[in-house]
Amino acid sequence: MDTLSYKTVSINKETAQKEWVVVDAQDLVLGRMASKVAKLLRGKNKPTYTPHVDCGDYVIVINADKVKMTGLKWTDRIYLSHTGYPGGQREITPEKLLQKSPEKLIKKVVKGMLPKNKLGAQLLSNLYVYAGTEHKHEAQQPKQIDLNTLK
């Protein structure tokens, strides 16, 4: 054989086929849902996945305030942050963060599952989280997706 019968295709930002998807977070376990959302944002569910390119979908998460956690994670897990001033370390539990802002809880968990570089920051900007069932992205005609069918 003189030629290859196949080629590895590496896509770039312009040739990536990005879609809009809606995920209903009602009664889903937070960590399992977040890992599948991170996979959608990254584009790992597509055959054209390229590690260094933003080739994932735009993901809209609705019903963020109805997400579940198993065990005692609501009260025992602690998220730390720092104000930047001496003695400025703050801690908050997922239960308090859910009451304060369910959108921040989902974004925080998904952010931890993305790369810790510029690409991860770009991918996180493709995530839109809403506490209720309404979202403002109807013009993009997003398709509803069931995370239980994804691997």
Side-chain angles (χ1 to χ4, degrees), residues 26-75:
Q26 184 169 1
D27 297 329
L28 292 179
V29 179
L30 178 62
R32 295 168 194 258
M33 180 212 55
S35 67
K36 291 181 181 180
V37 167
K39 196 177 289 189
L40 285 171
L41 287 170
R42 193 91 199 268
K44 285 192 158 192
N45 59 331
K46 297 180 178 184
T48 58
Y49 168 69
T50 307
H52 62 278
V53 177
D54 176 11
C55 57
D57 297 330
Y58 297 99
V59 180
I60 304 163
V61 179
I62 57 174
N63 290 325
D65 53 346
K66 295 180 178 75
V67 77
K68 290 183 177 180
M69 278 182 130
T70 58
L72 299 174
K73 295 184 189 109
W74 282 118
T75 54

Side-chain angles (χ1 to χ4, degrees), residues 77-97:
R77 179 160 293 166
I78 295 173
Y79 296 132
L80 296 175
S81 62
H82 202 283
T83 63
Y85 289 96
Q89 184 170 340
R90 305 286 186 254
E91 62 181 41
I92 190 166
T93 62
E95 185 177 35
K96 290 180 183 174
L97 190 56

Side-chain angles (χ1 to χ4, degrees), residues 115-134:
K116 288 21 172 213
N117 53 23
K118 291 179 185 178
L119 178 63
Q122 173 62 39
L123 294 172
L124 193 64
S125 69
N126 296 337
L127 176 66
Y128 301 91
V129 184
Y130 299 99
T133 58
E134 299 295 320

Side-chain angles (χ1 to χ4, degrees), residues 8 17 24 60 76 84 92 117 124 139 147:
T8 300
Q17 300 291 324
D24 189 1
I60 304 163
D76 288 355
I92 190 166
N117 53 23
L124 193 64
L147 289 183

